[in-house]
C-alpha cells in the first residue's frame, strides 16, 4: 500500500488494493494461530494487516530509548504508535477493510480509529485488548515466539487446521466475505496525500 508508488502508477491501484485485501483475508482466516510482533509504527494498511493476526505484541520503547539506552526521552515519538489515517489522506476504507477493523477492535475504538485517525500508543492498545503485551524491543521477537509456541497445538495437523480455518471464517464472516471480493476504489486519484505519501499540509 505504498502511496508514493500508487500515485505514480494509478492504473495499478485496484490490483494493489485487491492483492492487499486478499492477503488480509488469508491471514485472518489462516488455519493456524498467528502472532504479529510490531516493532515500529503500525499504520494504515500495515495496521489493518496487523489486526488480521490472532495475537499482537507491540514494543513499548521509544526510538531514543532503543538507540541511546535512555529511560525516557521526549525528543522522538514513541515507536509503539498505531493509527489508520484515511481521514487525513482523503481515502475511504473498503467494506472489507472496515469489517476487518470492526471485528478486531472494540466498539469504543471504532470512531477514533476510523473517523478521527487517532494515534494510539501501545499502552492504550493493551488496555483495549488490541495487543497482548508490551515487551521491551530487545525481547519482542522472543516474546512473540514464546506466545506462538504456546498456541501451536491449535494448528498441529491437517484436521485441526481445517477446523480452525472454518471457525475463523464464521467468527469473522463479514470481513472474510468482503475482503478481496467487494473491492472498492478508495479514492486514490482524488486523495489528499503528498508525493511522500503523507497528509498534505
Amino acid at each position: 500500500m505504498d502511496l508514493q508508488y500508487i500515485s505514480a502508477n494509478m492504473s495499478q491501484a485496484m490490483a494493489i488494493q485487491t492483492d492487499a485485501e486478499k492477503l488480509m483475508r488469508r491471514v485472518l482466516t489462516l488455519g493456524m494461530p498467528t502472532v504479529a510482533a510490531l516493532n515500529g509504527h503500525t499504520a494504515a494498511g500495515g495496521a489493518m494487516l496487523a489486526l488480521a493476526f490472532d495475537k499482537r505484541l507491540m514494543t513499548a520503547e521509544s526510538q531514543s530509548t532503543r538507540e541511546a539506552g535512555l529511560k525516557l526521552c521526549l525528543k522522538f515519538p514513541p515507536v509503539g504508535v498505531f493509527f489508520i489515517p484515511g481521514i487525513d489522506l482523503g481515502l475511504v476504507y473498503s467494506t472489507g477493510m472496515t469489517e476487518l477493523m470492526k471485528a478486531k477492535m472494540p466498539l469504543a475504538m471504532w470512531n477514533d480509529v476510523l473517523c478521527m485517525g487517532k494515534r494510539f500508543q501501545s499502552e492504550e492498545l493493551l488496555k483495549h485488548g488490541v495487543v497482548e503485551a508490551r515487551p521491551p524491543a530487545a525481547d519482542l521477537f522472543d516474546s512473540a515466539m514464546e506466545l506462538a509456541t504456546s498456541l501451536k497445538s491449535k494448528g498441529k495437523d491437517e484436521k485441526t487446521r481445517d477446523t480452525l480455518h472454518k471457525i475463523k471464517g464464521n467468527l469473522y464472516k463479514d470481513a472474510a466475505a468482503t475482503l478481496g471480493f467487494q473491492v472498492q476504489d478508495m479514492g486514490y486519484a482524488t486523495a489528499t496525500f503528498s508525493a511522500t505519501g503523507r497528509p498534505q499540509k
Side-chain angles (χ1 to χ4, degrees):
M1 307 297 289
D2 185 334
L3 296 182
Q4 288 179 269
Y5 181 86
I6 291 174
S7 63
N9 300 273
M10 201 61 67
S11 63
Q12 300 178 35
M14 286 299 288
I16 293 171
Q17 176 76 20
T18 300
D19 286 346
E21 292 196 22
K22 287 180 178 179
L23 175 61
M24 292 173 194
R25 186 180 76 245
R26 183 180 180 187
V27 174
L28 180 68
T29 62
L30 194 66
M32 60 181 66
T34 56
V35 178
L38 310 178
N39 67 342
H41 287 319
T42 306
M48 296 181 208
L49 181 60
L51 289 173
F53 283 73
D54 293 316
K55 308 289 183 180
R56 287 156 296 281
L57 288 79
M58 189 177 216
T59 182
E61 293 180 303
S62 68
Q63 184 76 20
S64 54
T65 301
R66 294 216 309 262
E67 292 180 351
L70 302 177
K71 193 170 184 180
L72 177 65
C73 181
L74 300 178
K75 184 177 180 181
F76 299 95
V79 168
V81 175
F82 171 99
F83 63 103
I84 301 174
I87 184 63
D88 299 314
L89 299 172
L91 297 175
V92 180
Y93 319 114
S94 71
T95 299
M97 288 176 161
T98 301
E99 292 299 335
L100 167 63
M101 290 186 278
K102 288 167 59 180
K104 290 302 191 87
M105 295 186 297
L107 177 59
M109 290 182 66
W110 290 2
N111 185 270
D112 281 338
V113 173
L114 278 76
C115 299
M116 304 302 166
K118 178 181 175 180
R119 297 185 176 214
F120 287 81
Q121 295 186 16
S122 56
E123 183 176 6
E124 295 175 279
L125 296 177
L126 182 63
K127 291 177 180 177
H128 283 294
V130 176
V131 300
E132 303 290 314
R134 304 168 60 239
D139 300 331
L140 178 63
F141 179 77
D142 288 342
S143 296
M145 288 300 296
E146 182 178 354
L147 177 57
T149 299
S150 73
L151 299 171
K152 69 178 183 179
S153 66
K154 309 307 178 185
K156 62 185 177 182
D157 53 36
E158 185 175 350
K159 172 60 177 174
T160 307
R161 290 191 288 273
D162 181 63
T163 300
L164 184 58
H165 170 67
K166 290 176 179 176
I167 289 173
K168 290 181 181 181
N170 287 337
L171 180 60
Y172 308 123
K173 63 179 181 180
D174 291 334
T178 50
L179 281 169
F181 294 113
Q182 295 183 20
V183 182
Q184 299 156 298
D185 181 356
M186 292 174 62
Y188 295 110
T190 57
T192 54
F193 55 84
S194 68
T196 63
R198 293 180 172 83
Q200 289 182 342
K201 301 295 184 181

